[in-house]
Amino acid sequence: MKLINTFATELPWACEAVAPQPLHEPRLLHLNQELLRELGLDGVSATDWLACCGHGQPLPGMQPVAQVYAGHQFGGYSPRLGDGRALLLGEQLAPDGGRWDLHLKGAGKTPFSRFGDGRAVLRSSIREYLASEALHALGIPTTRALVLVGSQEPVYREQVETGATVLRTAPSHLRFGHVEYFAWSGQGEKIPLLIDYLLRHHFPELSDGAELFAEVVRRTARLIAKWQAAGFCHGVMNTDNMSLLGLTLDYGPYGFIDAYVPDFVCNHSDPGGRYALDQQPAVGYWNLQKLAQALAGHVEGDALASALAGHVEGDALASALAQYEHQLMLHYSELMRAKLGLAVWEEEDPALFRELFRLLAAHGVDYHLFLRRLGMLTTQGAWPASLLALLPDPAAWQEWLETYRARLAREGSEDGERKARMDALNPKYVLRNALAQQVIDAAERGDMEPLERLFAALQHPFDEQPEYEDLATPHPGWYCGGELSCSS
């Protein structure tokens, strides 16, 4: 290992030293061997990982700290949140020169736990372990998972469950909420220091805070465009769950859609649908507004000395925010055009997309399987039988399919080449909630084989992988739940 602790040593006012608490009868459930090799951590033994993540014994060189931050949660400001059940153990210098936080979730109480127990449960830990690697394989920026540990420790949520930890990694776990905390707690003088830290360690190509905010806007817009194209609903887009590096952060009641439901809500704690699938782009902008207000007066070139609630004025921040919608729509359009196998843009494309989404929603068609099987369509001949099998009323799709086929013909699309491009963008294997639940049920019985199989399949989501064909089917009839709780 090549450990450093720049956050703990350079930003001591943004964290507190905390020792991880051991779990009762911990057991090592999974190691992400490929990622361990990438980060230069493959020399650490399984015994050492269990000691570190289960027995509360940090490895030599680690300086565990809990970070402090605030955040807007479901629209309301919470002035002091922080790592209530997670610890930054240290930062690994990878062989390629990159730095990676080692962040242990479920490590026990911290000064920021409030009334919580500081623990994570096996259910939520498995979901985060699988989801972070699934999104990475889909090309979506995300934290990643290194180590999964279970235990016999009872943890109380809606019911009694068992405690677990997941060691996750990312270049940084800095959030919008870090800036908000110092802005609104009377410590605004710390914000330039936080900006300087970000520029030196994570954005060396940028020169100042104005450029930094513009880059955060761009990364956030592109991240949410990727979520929308992938049919991924985060579920809890509070500002404390928004990464300053544009990563998918903090997996709770997330969900990939099955049948296309534009206003899909995956969190049963969100009855109003604030964080529904189709609201994510708007929420991203709202969250960036809150970040801009926290940065006001601390960004060079910004004229905003006093930000009114709900308003962002001033040159640097306002001009960067103004680019959000354009960046998001541009990237989303590029992604969807590519997922439909279209090589060039035409003025009629938005209408083609709108009608497709209308039909998908009206007929409850499986989003992922439809796009995957659409690649089998040829510019001549019969419609693919496997595609028609997804459509409850194929006749209602006739006009759209003919319009799409004519669109392909106009650009001289070649069937085989187009199918290869579409297969490389439309996954066959998706982390559906039903699959995750099957893995969780088995793991709670002590059977880790289903996790191993699903983890392996999700590493290569675009490949055929005949040995995992059973994991590529629509959600099973027995699964009737789409919403999960924040405790997940």
Side-chain angles (χ1 to χ4, degrees):
M1 301 182 76
K2 295 184 178 180
L3 284 173
I4 56 175
N5 296 278
T6 60
F7 194 99
T9 57
E10 296 181 29
L11 306 176
W13 35 266
C15 59
E16 293 196 28
V18 181
Q21 299 169 7
L23 289 165
H24 177 59
E25 295 184 26
R27 63 189 188 281
L28 186 64
L29 301 181
H30 202 273
L31 290 176
N32 188 342
Q33 298 288 357
E34 181 178 343
L35 181 55
L36 289 169
R37 285 191 292 271
E38 288 179 26
L39 303 190
L41 294 169
D42 48 324
V44 181
S45 70
T47 300
D48 284 341
W49 284 126
L50 179 59
C52 175
C53 301
H55 289 289
Q57 300 171 9
L59 299 177
M62 290 180 170
Q63 297 180 21
V65 296
Q67 300 178 355
V68 62
Y69 46 83
H72 280 82
Q73 299 186 309
F74 291 91
Y77 185 64
S78 297
R80 193 170 187 264
L81 297 170
D83 288 334
R85 58 173 175 169
L87 297 177
L88 174 61
L89 301 179
E91 302 146 54
Q92 166 71 358
L93 288 177
D96 64 0
R99 67 177 62 227
W100 294 85
D101 283 3
L102 301 180
H103 202 252
L104 184 63
K105 192 170 183 178
K109 288 186 177 181
T110 78
F112 314 113
S113 296
R114 301 182 300 284
F115 301 106
D117 56 19
R119 290 304 190 191
V121 297
L122 180 61
R123 165 178 52 89
S124 64
S125 300
I126 286 175
R127 284 176 53 80
E128 176 153 357
Y129 196 86
L130 290 172
S132 58
E133 287 303 288
L135 262 67
H136 173 72
L138 293 173
I140 300 175
T142 177
T143 59
R144 299 186 64 187
L146 278 167
V147 183
L148 177 66
V149 169
S151 77
Q152 294 301 311
E153 182 165 327
V155 177
Y156 301 89
R157 295 295 183 261
E158 284 88 352
Q159 58 187 8
V160 182
E161 303 185 56
T162 55
T165 60
V166 58
L167 182 62
R168 58 187 183 178
T169 186
S172 174
H173 285 78
L174 282 165
R175 311 148 187 267
F176 290 16
H178 280 93
V179 181
E180 290 185 291
Y181 175 76
F182 293 105
W184 310 128
S185 64
Q187 303 179 71
E189 73 279 1
K190 300 291 201 322
I191 292 178
L193 302 177
L194 195 59
I195 292 173
D196 177 69
Y197 179 89
L198 282 160
L199 292 173
R200 285 187 293 108
H201 293 302
H202 303 293
F203 299 93
E205 71 280 7
L206 305 180
S207 61
D208 57 30
E211 290 188 2
L212 172 63
F213 180 68
E215 180 64 11
V216 174
V217 170
R218 188 191 72 84
R219 291 192 185 194
T220 302
R222 292 177 66 87
L223 174 67
I224 295 176
K226 291 179 187 294
W227 287 356
Q228 300 303 112
F232 175 79
C233 189
H234 182 280
V236 195
M237 287 178 64
N238 298 330
T239 57
D240 54 294
N241 294 336
M242 297 294 292
S243 162
L244 288 167
L245 273 64
L247 308 173
T248 310
L249 178 68
D250 283 355
Y251 291 89
Y254 67 83
F256 284 91
I257 54 173
D258 294 309
Y260 182 72
V261 178
D263 58 352
F264 171 63
V265 176
C266 59
N267 182 357
H268 76 52
S269 300
D270 186 18
R274 177 181 178 85
Y275 298 139
L277 178 68
D278 60 0
Q279 295 302 307
Q280 292 184 144
V283 172
Y285 182 81
W286 192 91
N287 288 343
L288 286 164
Q289 282 185 311
K290 299 306 171 188
L291 176 60
Q293 290 167 15
L295 287 169
H298 304 287
V299 171
E300 187 176 343
D302 176 50
L304 191 131
S306 60
L308 299 177
H311 300 279
V312 176
E313 305 167 358
D315 298 336
L317 300 176
S319 61
L321 261 178
Q323 292 299 310
Y324 172 80
E325 183 178 2
H326 171 73
Q327 288 283 341
L328 187 147
M329 292 307 300
L330 178 64
H331 192 49
Y332 178 72
S333 296
E334 290 172 347
L335 290 170
M336 291 308 304
R337 191 162 57 248
K339 287 172 78 69
L340 266 64
L342 305 178
V344 297
W345 180 84
E346 288 190 3
E347 290 186 4
E348 295 80 6
D349 286 351
L352 183 73
F353 294 159
R354 283 195 298 271
E355 180 62 8
L356 170 61
F357 295 137
R358 186 193 71 78
L359 288 166
L360 287 171
H363 295 263
V365 176
D366 188 284
Y367 179 73
H368 309 287
L369 289 180
F370 178 86
L371 290 173
R372 180 76 177 191
R373 296 181 187 180
L374 187 64
M376 301 175 182
L377 184 146
T378 56
T379 52
Q380 297 181 10
W383 307 119
S386 63
L387 179 64
L388 295 181
L390 294 174
L391 311 178
D393 182 9
W397 285 78
Q398 188 73 22
E399 182 177 353
W400 187 88
L401 289 171
E402 290 176 351
T403 301
Y404 173 68
R405 177 177 270 176
R407 172 72 174 78
L408 297 176
R410 282 200 303 276
E411 66 178 48
S413 183
E414 195 280 317
D415 293 336
E417 185 272 339
R418 181 184 68 258
K419 182 179 185 303
R421 282 190 287 111
M422 292 177 69
D423 283 354
L425 293 171
N426 295 310
K428 180 170 183 175
Y429 299 93
V430 177
L431 182 57
R432 302 172 185 269
N433 274 338
L435 294 175
Q437 190 59 52
Q438 288 176 321
V439 166
I440 292 165
D441 291 343
E444 289 177 342
R445 298 191 302 267
D447 180 7
M448 299 306 298
E449 183 180 359
L451 183 143
E452 294 279 0
R453 291 189 75 240
L454 184 56
F455 185 85
L458 294 172
Q459 297 296 297
H460 307 282
F462 306 107
D463 297 349
E464 283 297 322
Q465 305 185 88
E467 66 273 29
Y468 301 126
E469 188 68 28
D470 58 304
L471 302 177
T473 57
H475 66 286
W478 58 260
Y479 184 77
C480 60
E483 297 182 8
L484 300 163
S485 73
C486 284
S487 72
S488 48

